[in-house]
Amino acid sequence: MKRWLETAKTVILSLLVITSFCLTGMIWINQPNLQFIEPAKYTESKPVLEKSLEKMITPSAVVFHYGQDRHTKAVATDGQYSMIMREMPRWIFLDFTPYTLTHEKWEEIAREKLGLEVRFRSNLPLSAVGRLVTFREEYNIRLMGIDRIWLYHEPEEDLVYALFLSGEEEKVMRSRTSISPKDLRESYLANGNQMPEQIMKVVIPAKYNTSDPESKGYSYWHMYYLPKHQIRMQQFRFSYTTVPTEQLMEAYFLDPTLVRQIMERDKTVIYTDGSRSIQVRSEQKAITFTDPAYQQRILPITDEEKLQSAVSFVNKHLGWLDDYYLEDIKKSYNDKDSITFRQYIGAYPLVSKGEKPIDTIEIISEAGQVVTMSRSMLDLETYITNRDLTVMSGPELYQLIRDKNLANTEEISNTYLAYQTFVSDDYIELIPTWVVEVPNQPTLLIPAKSNEGGGRANGLE
């Protein structure tokens, strides 16, 4: 009996070994039909037009000062402007000191001394300006930002000094420069000599005005320039496209398949993935992007970093479509930052009035993170037609304003040329327009064509 049990065990063990080999072979021969789960694939956005911060903060104009109250101006489409832009990275500034300007000093520097004025579109942080020029040493400039750099020749010392001017704070810093008087006279000013002559208009805040001619007190001059004679501008008609919904989904959402659509009563469409959202106002051809997910920062960031963050955000989300430049950065509600970029055609900004504004990208950021952004969905393509126009000179413009009783010309704080936009179903018309800013009243938009009678002035809120 015992022998039979041993034999049975041996047979069973052999069968188990044989079965194991058979099953192993079957597994190797017959692989199961497994379905592998691939990681989620996000739609890659189409290439967009990206810009660097340096390109967004370039000067709006360069003004050449020749003494005897003679001034000329170059803008971005002029070769003289481009020459100064190539020279700016070579400029070195050092030994900054606060500088007090009286009425007499302003008169002397602005109207009598040889100089070069670089005008920015807004008050720029000094660290951002440092991307365009060179500061030799750690600077201790007690200014929040500047909107002008004014080079001028001091004959007694035969040196070129620079004034860093903050119109927002009405303060001035002065520095020595690496620029030689010869370069200022024979290169920079010689190049600007044939540019259109300008009339310098000075705006002095009331607190600095005094009836006492002997007063030597501190003063600050805000300035703008008007062409002394008529100039030429083009009037354009552009075709345009509207950014498609699919492109918006790709630009603003990581996974468009998670986005759902909500229709409001006023027919505004909202797209959201539960966090971010885009509000599309079809009648205005514009969108508002919102991202309420605020990530608190431990360390404060500089204004330059806030600007860089805003530029980077637009670079990564739809791009710039057309040419834009920084117009303004200022504190908004709840200590948030309001940053505005304005669209340009050549050297001239676009201004819009009506239901389809296409002129600005407006951003609200918190600690450098974009929480709200409004922009147009219209993208200029190519011009259909253009006309060459003669534009009113500064004296013509001011005479028209007085004749039509549009404003008190003594109270005007700024005047500049722009393109006013008119959007139709098939094209966008860009009309040369004088923009006239007067305190405590809506900005005036006056057609710039000479001998047109100026047309009807429009209020631009």
Side-chain angles (χ1 to χ4, degrees), residues 100-349:
T100 300
L101 287 172
T102 63
H103 287 300
E104 290 74 14
K105 284 184 179 179
W106 274 109
E107 285 281 354
E108 183 182 17
I109 292 174
R111 302 194 189 277
E112 299 304 328
K113 290 189 174 181
L114 299 179
L116 176 72
E117 181 184 358
V118 178
R119 299 177 64 87
F120 297 100
R121 296 173 176 85
S122 62
N123 216 52
L124 297 180
L126 262 297
S127 54
V129 177
R131 291 172 175 253
L132 305 177
V133 298
T134 301
F135 298 116
R136 172 59 63 81
E137 57 199 23
E138 286 295 325
Y139 53 88
N140 182 20
I141 306 177
R142 297 175 183 176
L143 296 175
M144 295 176 62
I146 65 162
D147 50 37
R148 285 180 284 170
I149 300 175
W150 194 312
L151 310 177
Y152 72 94
H153 179 227
E154 189 62 73
E156 294 181 1
E157 303 175 62
D158 199 28
L159 293 174
V160 175
Y161 284 99
L163 300 180
F164 287 76
L165 300 137
S166 172
E168 190 174 289
E169 301 171 79
E170 296 177 353
K171 292 181 180 179
V172 183
M173 297 289 291
R174 190 174 82 157
S175 79
R176 293 194 297 113
T177 77
S178 64
I179 302 164
S180 71
K182 181 180 179 181
D183 283 342
L184 180 63
R185 286 192 306 267
E186 299 181 13
S187 180
Y188 305 160
L189 293 179
N191 263 283
N193 197 40
Q194 301 303 317
M195 297 307 295
E197 288 201 32
Q198 304 291 311
I199 300 171
M200 177 189 288
K201 303 295 290 186
V202 176
V203 181
I204 305 175
K207 62 183 178 181
Y208 300 123
N209 282 321
T210 175
S211 58
D212 180 7
E214 300 300 321
S215 175
K216 303 292 183 183
Y218 172 77
S219 183
Y220 194 90
W221 285 15
H222 300 270
M223 302 171 189
Y224 61 95
Y225 297 89
L226 295 171
K228 195 172 184 178
H229 308 289
Q230 295 175 345
I231 62 173
R232 309 294 291 179
M233 278 184 70
Q234 296 290 318
Q235 177 173 317
F236 293 105
R237 179 174 291 183
F238 276 84
S239 62
Y240 68 91
T241 58
T242 303
V243 177
T245 302
E246 295 77 12
Q247 191 173 348
L248 291 176
M249 298 300 102
E250 293 174 5
Y252 292 100
F253 298 103
L254 289 176
D255 187 353
T257 62
L258 300 179
V259 177
R260 60 192 179 93
Q261 177 180 325
I262 302 171
M263 178 72 76
E264 298 287 280
R265 290 184 179 180
D266 62 358
K267 298 189 177 178
T268 296
V269 180
I270 298 175
Y271 298 94
T272 180
D273 62 359
S275 175
R276 298 178 171 188
S277 67
I278 298 176
Q279 184 183 74
V280 180
R281 303 180 299 281
S282 58
E283 74 286 352
Q284 293 184 346
K285 304 295 183 184
I287 64 168
T288 298
F289 166 83
T290 303
D291 183 4
Y294 170 60
Q295 300 175 358
Q296 187 172 1
R297 290 178 179 265
I298 299 176
L299 298 175
I301 63 174
T302 65
D303 284 347
E304 180 194 3
E305 291 171 323
K306 294 172 185 176
L307 290 175
Q308 182 62 70
S309 176
V311 171
S312 297
F313 180 86
V314 179
N315 281 341
K316 295 175 182 177
H317 299 85
L318 201 59
W320 296 96
L321 299 182
D322 296 294
D323 289 331
Y324 285 81
Y325 296 96
L326 175 69
E327 179 173 85
D328 196 16
I329 174 172
K330 58 185 178 183
K331 287 293 180 185
S332 181
Y333 59 93
N334 295 334
D335 286 332
K336 295 180 180 179
D337 297 287
S338 174
I339 303 172
T340 302
F341 300 94
R342 184 169 292 275
Q343 186 173 348
Y344 276 67
I345 294 293
Y348 302 105

Side-chain angles (χ1 to χ4, degrees), residues 359-377:
D359 52 351
T360 59
I361 295 176
E362 298 180 354
I363 289 175
I364 301 296
S365 70
E366 188 168 352
Q369 177 181 325
V370 174
V371 294
T372 304
M373 184 195 67
S374 299
R375 67 179 297 171
S376 171
M377 295 170 63

